[in-house]
């Protein structure tokens, strides 16, 4: 199973508007995101793609994700979000963090990945990886940063259920 890591930043008049704009930057804004905990299924691969291809799935599909985000409405403030991951023969783990800066987010991700690896007696297959994005709140009113690990749709849009 391929898992795509996407990221984006955005601005808007409100924090919700900025969050939606950041999701748009990652091209996941037209799906209903269902947040998962942080376990990677056995045999899955993780690839950084930046943004999903347009029209990949149907508008409104329920899509499984691990999501990190940060918003602010303080002008000039930095917002950073990130995901870290480590893969093993048995599967893997994601960790998600947000912080005021990319550097602070990276430190949190590294610590959380080390903890996640230490409590699992798994056969790790490589080094831990991470993806962090940082933005700055501008004049629009609010800013946001998001990083998501996109698994797959868990629905196929509207289904006629004979109601």
């Amino acid at each position: 199973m391929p898992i795509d890591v996407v990221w984006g930043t955005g601005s808007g008049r409100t924090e919700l508007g900025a969050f939606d704009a950041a999701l748009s930057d990652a091209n996941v804004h037209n799906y209903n995101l269902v947040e998962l905990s942080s376990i990677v299924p056995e045999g899955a691969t993780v690839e950084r793609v930046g943004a999903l291809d347009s029209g990949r799935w149907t508008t409104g599909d329920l899509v499984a994700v691990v999501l990190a985000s940060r918003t602010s409405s303080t002008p000039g403030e930095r917002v950073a979000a990130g995901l870290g991951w480590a893969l093993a023969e048995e599967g893997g783990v994601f960790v998600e963090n947000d912080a005021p800066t990319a550097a602070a987010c990276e430190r949190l991700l590294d610590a959380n990945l080390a903890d996640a690896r230490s409590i699992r007696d798994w056969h790790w297959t490589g080094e831990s990886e991470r993806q962090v994005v940082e933005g700055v709140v501008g004049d629009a009113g609010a800013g946001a940063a998001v990083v998501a690990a996109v698994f797959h749709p868990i629905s196929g849009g509207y289904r006629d259920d004979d109601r």
Side-chain angles (χ1 to χ4, degrees):
M1 164 196 320
I3 300 171
D4 294 330
V5 176
V6 300
W7 57 90
T9 59
S11 61
R13 291 181 289 174
T14 66
E15 289 185 24
L16 181 58
F19 177 70
D20 193 33
L23 292 175
S24 176
D25 197 31
N27 205 25
V28 292
H29 60 302
N30 288 328
Y31 305 118
N32 288 302
L33 305 180
V34 179
E35 290 189 55
L36 303 174
S37 59
S38 303
I39 300 301
V40 177
E42 183 178 343
T45 59
V46 178
E47 181 180 352
R48 287 179 182 89
V49 299
L52 287 186
D53 293 333
S54 294
R56 183 167 180 181
W57 298 306
T58 303
T59 298
D61 274 352
L62 302 177
V63 176
V65 299
V66 174
L67 179 68
S69 68
R70 187 170 182 106
T71 61
S72 174
S73 56
T74 303
E77 186 171 87
R78 294 187 177 281
V79 290
L83 290 179
W85 61 94
L87 300 178
E89 292 174 12
E90 298 82 357
V93 294
F94 279 108
V95 295
E96 57 271 21
N97 284 105
D98 67 278
T101 66
C105 191
E106 289 170 357
R107 286 191 297 275
L108 288 168
L109 290 170
D110 290 344
N112 288 327
L113 280 167
D115 287 348
R117 287 177 74 143
S118 73
I119 65 170
R120 290 172 175 83
D121 187 23
W122 287 356
H123 300 94
W124 300 100
T125 58
E127 296 298 316
S128 297
E129 297 187 55
R130 63 185 183 213
Q131 179 64 52
V132 175
V133 66
E134 181 183 86
V136 178
V137 179
D139 295 334
V146 299
V147 180
V150 181
F151 284 63
H152 53 76
I154 55 178
S155 79
Y158 175 78
R159 301 281 190 216
D160 185 0
D161 61 3
D162 296 339
R163 278 193 267 179

